[in-house]
Amino acid sequence: MTSTFRLAVLSDLHAAPKSANAAATDVKLFTDQEHIAATEHPIGGLKALIQRLGLSADAVVCPGDMTNKANAQALVYVWKELHEISSQLGASGIVATVGNHDVDSRGHSPDGFPRESLMRLVPPFPATDQSLSDRYWAHGFCFQQVGSARFLVINTCWLHEARDELERGVITDYSLERIEKHLTTSPKSSLNIAVCHHHPHVHSDLKLGVDDVIRNGQRFLNMLADNGQWMVIHGHKHHPKIEYAQGEFRQPIVLASGSFSGRLEGDNALVSKNYFHIIDIQRTSPRLAGQVRSWNWIPGLGWAEYASTPPGFPSRAGFGSSTAVDKLAQEVASIIGSRAAIRWEELTQQQPELAFLMPKQLRALISDLRDTHNIHTVYDDLNYPKQMGPELS
C-alpha cells in the first residue's frame, strides 16, 4: 500500500529589516515592510499562493539561513512567519535548522554569544518541544517525529561558534557516533528525512566552490544508507538540484533547496531563481520516490510556476525511479505501439515509474525514445512532457 507525505520547503530566506541598512543586493525579504503588496514581498506572496491554490502540507521544512548576518529582529520575524505558514498549510509541525547566517559567529552583536538570539526564540528553536531543542544544542542534532515521518535535524554550524570553521559545515565524530547509536537501537521508520544547512557532498556547479562541503559528509551519507532509505534536504548553495549521493548501496536522495529569497551571485544568477517547493513523497517500501513541484519568485508578479531548460531547475521533477531508462524507453514504445500520440498522463498511469525520473533521467528517456524508437515529445507551458508519439516530429 502506498501513502503520500507532503513537505513544504523554503530555505535561505536571508531576511533583514530595511531599516538596518540592508542593501537591496543582499536582501529581498525585508522584515519591516509587511504591509506592502504580496507581489512585492516573498512571505506575503507565499501566503497568497497557498490561499489561491489551496495548498497543504504535512510538514514545513526550513534548512537554515532564516536571516542575513544574524539579524536578531529578522530571526524573530521569520520564526513567527514559519509558524503562520505551517498553520495555513495545515501542517503537523516545522522542521528547521541553523544556517551560517543565523549564528552570530562574526560578532555582529558583541554583547551576546553566537546562538543567543536563536535560543531566545519563542516557541523554542528548532523544535517547539524544549527537550528536543536542548538535545539539538547539546549534541549537534536531534530526532523529530512529525506525523509519520522521522526527521534527523543536524546543526552543521556547530563549530561556527568556536569561529574556527566558518567557511564550511561539519558533523562531528561525536555527533555521528550518537546518531548511529540512535539509528541502530531505535525502531525502524519507513520514512526518513535528514535536514541540514550545508551540503553533504560536493556541490561545485557554476563555480560555486568545492571547499565548503560538510566535513564528515560522506561518512554521514554512508551511515544513513546503512540504516534505511533516506532523503537529505539542505540549503546554503542557492542553487537547486536533486540527485543521488555517492555510494555503493541505497544511496540517499539529496535535494539542494536553492534559496527562497536570498541573493544569487555570479553564473548562478543566470541559471537560478528564488524557489518554494512542495515535495510529495510516495512511500513504496523499501524505497522513497516522489515528485517535486516548484514555484519561483518574480517581483511584481509573485510566486509562479515557470518553464525552465537545462541547466535550470525544472518546475516539475521526480525522484526515486527504480527502473533503468533504456528499459522504460522500451516499455513506453510498446505502450504507444502504432498509436499516433499518447498523453503523458496516460503513459504515467500505465507506467508509474515515469513520474519518478530525475531531470537528467527524464531527458535521457526522451533522447532514447527519439533516437532509438522514433518517438517524439511535445512539451507543455512548463517545458514538461505533454504528449509523445511517432507522428509528432
Side-chain angles (χ1 to χ4, degrees), residues 97-148:
T97 194
V98 170
N100 53 294
H101 274 265
D102 300 324
V103 180
D104 191 11
S105 54
R106 300 184 188 274
H108 296 289
S109 301
D111 294 334
F113 57 93
R115 58 177 168 169
E116 179 174 348
S117 295
L118 289 156
M119 295 189 71
R120 289 185 179 275
L121 290 174
V122 179
F125 177 91
T128 54
D129 182 331
Q130 184 67 63
S131 64
L132 293 181
S133 289
D134 290 345
R135 291 176 198 172
Y136 175 88
W137 293 119
H139 303 299
F141 73 94
C142 69
F143 284 90
Q144 188 176 346
Q145 190 74 30
V146 180
S148 57

Side-chain angles (χ1 to χ4, degrees), residues 198-350:
H198 294 85
H199 41 298
H201 59 189
V202 173
H203 188 134
S204 57
D205 309 55
L206 303 170
K207 304 176 184 178
L208 290 173
V210 298
D211 297 326
D212 52 349
V213 65
I214 291 174
R215 180 158 61 85
N216 283 332
Q218 191 58 50
R219 281 182 59 196
F220 167 64
L221 293 169
N222 292 342
M223 180 189 64
L224 294 183
D226 288 338
N227 291 276
Q229 179 65 60
W230 287 78
M231 178 175 232
V232 179
I233 302 175
H234 72 83
H236 189 55
K237 277 299 191 180
H238 296 200
H239 171 247
K241 65 176 179 177
I242 188 165
E243 59 189 354
Y244 291 102
Q246 177 181 326
E248 59 182 287
F249 169 67
R250 209 158 51 191
Q251 302 96 316
I253 297 158
V254 180
L255 172 69
S257 305
S259 171
F260 179 83
S261 50
R263 179 175 61 181
L264 305 171
E265 298 179 300
D267 292 342
N268 189 35
L270 304 176
V271 171
S272 298
K273 305 292 184 182
N274 293 114
Y275 300 93
F276 166 70
H277 310 285
I278 290 287
I279 306 174
D280 286 320
I281 302 176
Q282 307 288 331
R283 287 177 294 161
T284 54
S285 183
R287 63 169 177 145
L288 295 181
Q291 294 179 302
V292 183
R293 183 181 178 187
S294 304
W295 292 259
N296 68 19
W297 174 251
I298 305 172
L301 293 177
W303 291 99
E305 295 179 306
Y306 56 94
S308 180
T309 56
F313 190 74
S315 190
R316 296 284 186 278
F319 59 89
S321 175
S322 60
T323 306
V325 167
D326 57 346
K327 181 178 179 181
L328 282 176
Q330 293 174 355
E331 292 183 12
V332 169
S334 177
I335 292 171
I336 293 175
S338 60
R339 297 172 62 172
I342 184 171
R343 294 184 64 81
W344 179 255
E345 289 83 356
E346 184 178 344
L347 281 170
T348 56
Q349 288 174 0
Q350 295 194 47

Side-chain angles (χ1 to χ4, degrees), residues 148-192:
S148 57
R150 176 174 64 175
F151 289 88
L152 168 56
V153 189
I154 302 169
N155 180 0
T156 57
C157 302
W158 211 23
L159 297 189
H160 286 215
E161 297 186 45
R163 301 177 185 174
D164 59 354
E165 291 211 15
L166 300 185
E167 304 305 324
R168 65 185 304 181
V170 65
I171 305 176
T172 65
D173 293 346
Y174 168 82
S175 293
L176 281 172
E177 290 165 9
R178 292 187 68 97
I179 292 169
E180 186 168 29
K181 181 178 180 180
H182 180 97
L183 291 175
T184 55
T185 60
S186 299
K188 303 299 181 184
S189 172
S190 61
L191 181 52
N192 301 292

Side-chain angles (χ1 to χ4, degrees), residues 370-391:
R370 182 191 64 234
D371 297 341
T372 305
H373 304 280
N374 194 35
I375 292 174
H376 301 270
T377 303
V378 172
Y379 299 89
D380 63 16
D381 292 340
L382 302 180
N383 204 34
Y384 196 69
K386 178 181 179 181
Q387 201 172 39
M388 288 184 166
E391 298 183 13

